[in-house]
């Protein structure tokens, strides 16, 4: 017979043990989370309300903004609430739900970035066939496939973890339930599971990163024959995508491409990955994009005129 789990809850150590630092964390991360949700919600509303932002790029951007709004929401509210309590606990089911949600939205974000890179490749390298290749149906298929791929990635990660026996201790040196700390607590041989995690998370991040970098190199080489105005516009769009790719994919490669071990830097790396890309993406995609900025101005003007009536 296999070893049965007798752990019903886990104790999270959080980011800091100092009460003063926990109070600072409450203020900082509450503000960051509100800004993240509002920023991504504004992008979604602007794209859906605007008559000019109907290109496939903006369709994918609205999906990315929704994923970016949900990804930190899987972990940050719990982390903020835990700053008020001395003993930070999470139930076994809550822990598995948090693991699933974080990897679902994080994985979907990576696949959506790949779909966006393909859209830019077609737009720049095959402009005459762009409207035929990237029609509404194919855009919907790519977006749907990104969400399904994120789900499959996450459900595999969760099923691998939930079937492991946990006999104690139940203390996780992190601010949320992630796969490496949980594998460390399992009272069973997790070597095979660790290899699958590397293949499932680490290789997805690495392969996606390589594909994205190659696609943008091809795009940049293709731009050499274009006019300076076309190059500037394409470089501005691709520049935003490349910044996002680096922010989103470098931390997961650091976290998951190695064997199942925990390092001192893991908490800060995964915190950066959860907090910074969702916060910065609305700024990256709006400050460098005149079409989005103009659509936002029109949206606020309409809201203002309706408020005056």
């Amino acid at each position: 017979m296999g070893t049965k789990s007798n752990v019903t809850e886990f104790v999270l150590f959080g980011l800091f043990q100092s009460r003063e630092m926990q109070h600072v964390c409450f203020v900082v991360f509450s503000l960051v989370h509100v800004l993240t949700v509002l920023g991504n919600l504004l992008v979604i509303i602007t794209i859906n309300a605007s008559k000019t932002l109907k290109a496939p790029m903006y369709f994918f951007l609205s999906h990315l903004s929704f994923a970016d709004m949900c990804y930190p929401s899987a972990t940050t509210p719990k982390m903020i609430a835990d700053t008020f309590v001395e003993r930070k606990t999470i139930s076994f089911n809550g822990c598995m739900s948090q693991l699933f949600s974080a990897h679902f939205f994080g994985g979907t974000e990576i696949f959506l970035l790949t779909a966006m890179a393909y859209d830019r490749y077609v737009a720049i390298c095959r402009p005459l066939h762009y409207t035929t290749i990237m029609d509404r149906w194919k855009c919907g298929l790519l977006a749907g496939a990104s969400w399904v791929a994120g789900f499959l990635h996450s459900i595999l990660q969760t099923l691998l973890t939930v079937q492991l026996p946990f006999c104690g201790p139940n203390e996780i040196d992190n601010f949320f339930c992630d796969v490496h700390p949980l594998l460390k607590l399992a009272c069973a041989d997790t070597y095979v599971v660790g290899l699958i995690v590397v293949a499932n998370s680490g290789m997805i991040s690495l392969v996606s990163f390589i594909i994205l970098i190659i696609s943008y190199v091809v795009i940049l080489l293709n731009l050499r024959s274009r006019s300076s105005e076309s190059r500037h516009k394409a470089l501005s769009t691709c520049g935003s995508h490349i910044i996002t790719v680096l922010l989103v994919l470098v931390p997961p490669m650091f976290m998951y491409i190695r064997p199942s071990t925990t390092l001192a830097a893991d908490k800060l790396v995964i915190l950066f990955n959860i907090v910074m890309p969702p916060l910065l993406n609305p700024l990256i995609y709006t400050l460098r994009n005149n079409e989005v900025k103009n659509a936002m101005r029109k949206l606020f003007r309409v809201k203002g005129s309706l408020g005056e009536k």
Side-chain angles (χ1 to χ4, degrees), residues 25-37:
C25 285
F26 168 76
V27 174
V28 171
F29 291 114
S30 295
L31 179 62
V32 166
H33 188 60
V34 169
L35 290 175
T36 299
V37 172

Side-chain angles (χ1 to χ4, degrees), residues 6-14 16-17 19 22 78-91 168-172 174-175:
N6 56 18
V7 171
T8 58
E9 67 175 17
F10 294 97
V11 179
L12 300 170
F13 284 176
F16 302 102
Q17 299 301 312
R19 293 301 300 169
Q22 289 187 44
K78 168 68 176 168
M79 180 180 68
I80 293 169
D82 281 345
T83 59
F84 290 106
V85 296
E86 190 71 33
R87 191 169 184 267
K88 305 167 180 59
T89 60
I90 185 170
S91 68
N170 65 339
E171 296 174 332
I172 298 175
N174 211 326
F175 60 93

Side-chain angles (χ1 to χ4, degrees), residues 243-259:
I243 291 169
T244 303
V245 165
L246 293 174
L247 288 173
V248 169
L249 284 172
V250 171
M253 285 193 294
F254 172 82
M255 288 290 299
Y256 302 115
I257 207 166
R258 65 175 192 262

